[in-house]
Each structure stands twice: as structure tokens, then as C-alpha cells.
């Protein structure tokens, strides 16, 4: 089911590898570039291992086998050659504004007038690094959620000067590869996912800092409580169901929520004494040399949850 359309991936780390697998799953020819040639080699090897694992667990996307998908992915150490003829370029270099600016200038110099130039940045609006470019209207952000194969959400964030058809085409290609897309109508640092995540993280920090709850227990509030509650529907729909609609929820809880929110306190910095407490508590249970084992434990469970969601949502 290979097709004659090419996707270029710039940066072959964690996220570049995931995008390569997702695009290949529906038959795109994928070319990955990195400034480090050894990163490209290790990406190609690791992608095959990951694709086979997904196939074994029944979570491989698309209709072609793991080996066939892998054959669609090639590496290239020449930037211009990698990008030439691509319909979509997915930038996946580290999260630094200077680096994003530099790579988008490189892309601007070689892009044609049709290519979509898409960044995977987790926090930075495209307008903060594309304003001066000739092809700035072809630039957009598509921020995936890690690990993308198990967590399909992707935030699509056009800049004020992104062409509407670029937004539309990017949404279509993301949905085609099986991502669940949300559109941000305006640019904001941190987009939606990380703003929510860091708002929560700030309150977690305050609760640990003032001794209200232990590190282990606050994590359990999420893993056995809110995380389970929100695995199938979001907080707004959950609240809607927890009363008789939102108006009834507001009558019952709006005052209480307002009063508790007033008590949240200043934004903490994640450093100092509380950092020692959080880090040492986790390190006593998960030593730093055992992180890979724990990551594998997590990924197996995320895979199980992704499978369950897929099966239940198909019913
Ligand atoms: P990473 O550090 O795993 O990979 C970055 C890769 O880019 C490396 O292979 C590096 O050699 C390469 N690179 C560095 N400079 C380059 C250049 N000038 N040209 C080409 N390649 C270059 O980083 P990761 O985690 O894959 O992140 C990439 C982007 O994706 C970042 O913007 C990050 O914020 C975003 N992102 C990361 C997520 C995560 O959980 N890791 C989740 C969602 C988005």
C-alpha cells in the first residue's frame, strides 16, 4: 500500500521516530534527517523493534505489516535531499527557540510553495520563530502527546499568518495517520495540554511543599483517581454527568470551587527543598539506574489501556 508521497522528518530522537512510524503506517515514504548520523542509524533500528512490538500487541496502526512499514522509512544525512519533494515536513529538534528558528530558516530556504512546514514543539507558538520567513504562511505546529502511539492527542496550532488550507490539510493528514486532533483557535505558550498539566503540577507542588500530602499519595490521587476518571471523557463532561447538567453542577459547586481556587497560592518554582523531597522520595522507590525497567512497565500498561479504549470505543 505504499504511495508516491513523501514526508520529511527533521530530528530523529524520541518524537521524530514516533512520527516516522505513524506516517509510514498509512503508506507514506518517510525520510528522516538528523545532524548526528548515528542517531539516524539507531532510529532505523529502534523503529523496527517498536513496530514489531506493536504488531505483536495488536496495536500497529494501518493495514500493512511492521516489516513493510519499516521498508518505507529511510535515513538521509543531507538536509536538502531529505526535504526535496516532501509534501509535509515534521520538525522534531530539541525545544529551543534558537534551534527552531535556525531549522525553520533552513526549511524556508529549500521549501517550495506547497510544502507544509510543521513543528512538534511542546510550548512555542509558530509565530515566535517563523515571522521573518518567506514561507511563513505554510508553517504550523502539531504538538503530539508522548508516547504518540498510545496517546493519540495532537494539538494543531496555526499562527496568525498560517494559510487556512495549511491548517485544513495538516488536520487531514494527522487524522489519516490515526491521531486525535484538537485545534487551538489562538496561540498561547504551552498550548492547552501543557497549560493544564502544569497548572495541576503547580498545585501538586504546593500540596507537597506545605506537607499536606506525601509524594507517593499525591501521585496515587491521579493514577487511582482522576487519571481513571478522565481516561474516557474529559472534566467538563464528567462534571456534567456528576450533576444534572452543567447548570446544576454550577449551582451545587461553583461557590466551593471558587473558594478553593482562591486558596491555591503563588506559582511555585520546582527547585529547593521540595525538589529534594520529591526527587529523593521517587529515587528511593525507583533508583535512577532502573528507569528503563520502569519505563517498560509504564509502556506495557499504556499499551493495555490504549487497546481497551480502542475496543470499548468501537462497540
Ligand atoms: P530528542 O532530544 O529525543 O531528539 C532531538 C533530535 O534532534 C536528536 O536526535 C538531535 O540529534 C536532533 N537535532 C538536534 N539539532 C538538530 C538540527 N539542527 N537538525 C536536525 N536534527 C537536530 O527530542 P524529542 O523529545 O524528540 O523532542 C523533539 C521536539 O518534540 C521538541 O520540540 C519537544 O518539545 C517536542 N515534543 C517532545 C515530547 C516528549 O515527550 N519528548 C512530546 C511532544 C513534543
Amino acid at each position: 500500500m505504499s504511495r508516491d508521497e513523501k514526508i520529511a522528518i527533521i530530528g530523529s530522537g524520541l518524537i521524530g521516530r514516533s512520527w516516522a512510524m505513524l506516517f509510514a503506517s498509512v503508506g507514506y515514504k518517510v525520510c528522516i534527517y538528523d545532524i548526528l548520523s548515528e542517531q539516524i542509524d539507531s532510529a532505523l533500528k529502534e523503529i523496527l523493534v517498536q513496530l514489531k512490538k506493536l504488531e505483536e500487541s495488536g496495536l500497529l496502526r494501518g493495514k500493512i505489516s511492521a516489516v513493510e512499514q519499516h521498508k518505507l522509512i529511510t535515513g538521509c544525512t543531507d538536509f536538502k535531499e531529505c526535504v526535496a519533494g516532501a509534501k509535509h515536513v515534521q520538525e522534531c529538534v530539541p525545544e529551543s527557540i534558537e534551534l527552531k528558528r535556525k531549522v525553520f530558516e533552513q526549511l524556508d530556504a529549500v521549501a517550495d510553495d506547497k510544502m507544509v512546514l510543521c513543528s512538534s514543539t511542546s510550548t512555542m507558538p509558530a509565530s515566535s520563530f517563523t515571522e521573518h520567513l518567506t514561507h511563513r504562511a505554510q508553517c504550523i505546529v502539531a504538538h503530539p502527546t508522548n508516547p504518540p502511539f498510545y496517546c493519540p492527542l495532537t494539538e494543531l496550532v496555526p499562527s496568525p499568518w498560517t494559510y487556512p488550507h495549511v491548517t485544513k490539510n495538516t488536520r487531514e493528514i494527522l487524522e489519516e495517520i490515526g491521531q486525535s486532533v484538537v485545534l487551538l483557535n489562538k496561540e498561547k505558550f504551552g498550548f492547552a495540554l501543557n497549560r493544564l498539566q502544569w497548572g495541576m503540577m503547580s498545585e501538586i507542588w504546593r500540596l507537597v511543599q506545605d506537607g499536606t500530602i506525601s509524594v507517593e499519595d499525591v501521585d496515587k490521587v491521579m493514577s487511582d483517581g482522576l487519571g481513571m476518571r478522565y481516561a474516557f471523557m474529559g472534566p467538563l463532561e464528567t462534571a456534567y454527568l456528576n450533576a444534572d447538567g452543567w447548570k446544576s453542577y454550577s449551582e451545587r459547586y461553583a461557590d466551593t470551587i471558587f473558594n478553593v481556587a482562591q486558596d491555591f497560592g503563588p506559582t511555585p518554582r520546582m527547585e529547593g527543598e521540595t525538589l529534594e523531597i520529591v526527587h529523593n522520595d521517587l529515587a528511593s522507590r525507583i533508583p535512577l539506574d532502573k528507569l528503563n525497567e520502569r519505563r517498560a512497565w509504564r509502556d506495557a500498561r499504556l499499551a493495555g489501556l490504549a487497546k481497551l479504549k480502542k475496543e470499548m470505543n468501537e462497540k
Side-chain angles (χ1 to χ4, degrees), residues 4-7 80-88 112 115:
D4 217 16
E5 287 177 301
K6 178 179 168 186
I7 306 293
K80 203 170 167 188
E81 194 184 318
C82 177
V83 174
K87 78 173 217 170
H88 178 106
D112 63 25
M115 228 172 242

Side-chain angles (χ1 to χ4, degrees), residues 10-16 33-36 39 91-95 99-100 102-103 106 120-123 143-146:
I10 307 300
S12 62
L14 189 69
I15 293 301
Y33 167 84
D34 201 288
I35 35 160
L36 304 174
Q39 272 290 84
E91 168 276 308
C92 311
V93 304
E95 190 77 350
L99 203 48
K100 301 284 180 198
K102 186 178 141 214
V103 170
Q106 276 180 280
S120 305
T121 170
S122 320
T123 53
H143 168 228
T145 310
N146 192 41

Side-chain angles (χ1 to χ4, degrees), residues 59 150 227 231-232 300-311:
L59 282 165
Y150 309 131
F232 287 86
R301 276 146 193 83
L302 283 175
L305 181 62
K307 202 168 174 183
L308 177 71
K309 277 194 74 155
K310 195 167 162 243
E311 286 163 6

Side-chain angles (χ1 to χ4, degrees), residues 10-31:
I10 307 300
S12 62
L14 189 69
I15 293 301
R17 293 168 194 207
S18 301
W19 279 123
M21 289 157 65
L22 290 169
F23 284 113
S25 72
V26 296
Y28 283 111
K29 291 195 172 110
V30 180
C31 186

